[in-house]
Amino acid sequence: MKICRSIQECRATTAALRATGKTIGFVPTMGFLHDGHLSLITKAQAECDAVIVSIFVNPTQFGQTADLDQYPRDEPRDLALLTSVNVAAVFLPEATEVYPPGNETIVETTRMANILHGKIRPGHFRGVASVVARLFNIVQPDVAVFGEKDYQQLQVIKRMVQDLHMPVRILGGPTVREADGLAMSSRNVRLSPEDRAAATILNRALCAAEASATHPGATVGDLRDIITATIAAEPRATLEGLDTVAADTLTELSGRLAGPVAVMISVAFGDILLIDQKVVQA
Ligand code: PAF
């Protein structure tokens, strides 16, 4: 596995792969890899001849420096994992490589970035779109794979690629869960044992909503009520965000279910915010 720390090294690696006729899949990450990331890599490997992974804790998508500083990192472990799954190359840039001094260009999906989680975390999706656009320009992949767990992020990136005519195909990878249903996330390690046990409530609430969607005449209000009641029954959890939106455009829905609804929740355990989502159908 080639380890690239500069844009120059990354571009040389991409060029060498292309020279042998290989298609390139890309999985951008912020490191501290888990089975969820590995499933995205497997998906990219099924679509392309060679896969490049980036590990970059992107400062522009964090609101508070404390959150950025506390983000878990373990480069040696990540590199060992990536080697074991036959990734062709890993790109590990410094922040000044991605954001050269004096840079002033941002990318923002004006509506999507400012609704739902974007309202709770202002500037977050601007940071995500700005870094992903830069990474796409550096790696120039044919296909890029993102987790469906970060559902709004996936839609923001799809919109950006369409709007800016970027020649990359975006694929979503299904959420990978622990045995007890908790969606895998690098944040889970920061939960206390009690909060970790209580955190299964996110998946339980989403499954209850999915079941209620199949009742004849089910409404968006029914989904919201069951999520609110299920989370309220867990004293360690605080429901910070609940959105029931059209699965593609993320526009707010109401009334009888008619088409796929993305149910997106953010739940706080102390100062740790977990997110999860499910697309449910009537
Ligand atoms: O999902 C993530 O890990 C990040 O938001 C991403 C897409 C790598 C951009 O920094």
Side-chain angles (χ1 to χ4, degrees), residues 195-215:
D195 286 343
R196 169 64 190 80
T200 56
I201 198 71
L202 279 86
N203 186 47
R204 282 188 278 135
L206 290 169
C207 289
E210 186 175 43
S212 84
T214 59
H215 296 164

Side-chain angles (χ1 to χ4, degrees), residues 115-272:
I115 56 174
L116 312 173
H117 295 312
K119 269 203 288 204
I120 307 172
R121 302 176 70 188
H124 171 72
F125 290 112
R126 182 196 306 135
V128 169
S130 296
V131 79
V132 171
R134 282 163 171 78
L135 292 170
F136 282 175
N137 279 336
I138 296 165
V139 176
Q140 300 184 350
D142 298 285
V143 169
V145 188
F146 294 83
E148 283 170 3
K149 180 168 98 53
D150 296 311
Y151 194 78
Q152 187 171 0
Q153 167 171 286
L154 176 61
Q155 303 311 317
V156 161
I157 289 162
K158 282 186 175 165
R159 190 72 250 175
M160 171 186 81
V161 162
Q162 205 178 331
D163 291 350
L164 299 182
H165 312 289
M166 293 176 163
V168 51
R169 193 154 56 91
I170 304 300
L171 299 179
T175 303
V176 178
R177 297 181 181 278
E178 304 286 356
D180 63 5
L182 177 65
M184 287 191 184
S185 161
S186 309
R187 284 170 193 259
N188 295 351
V189 292
R190 292 176 53 204
L191 294 167
S192 68
E194 297 77 16
D195 286 343
R196 169 64 190 80
T200 56
I201 198 71
L202 279 86
N203 186 47
R204 282 188 278 135
L206 290 169
C207 289
E210 186 175 43
S212 84
T214 59
H215 296 164
T219 65
V220 173
D222 297 338
L223 302 184
R224 299 183 67 86
D225 289 347
I226 197 141
I227 295 272
T228 309
T230 310
I231 304 282
E234 172 47 69
R236 305 190 76 85
T238 310
L239 183 61
E240 294 283 353
L242 164 58
D243 297 291
T244 35
V245 295
D248 50 355
T249 60
L250 305 183
T251 46
E252 202 63 52
L253 296 173
S254 59
R256 286 274 287 269
L257 297 187
V261 181
V263 182
M264 299 161 59
I265 56 176
S266 4
V267 177
F269 294 86
D271 64 349
I272 299 164

Side-chain angles (χ1 to χ4, degrees), residues 37-55:
H37 296 109
L38 298 187
S39 76
L40 303 181
I41 293 169
T42 305
K43 182 153 189 159
Q45 284 171 328
E47 294 284 329
C48 296
D49 302 318
V51 170
I52 300 184
V53 172
S54 63
I55 297 180

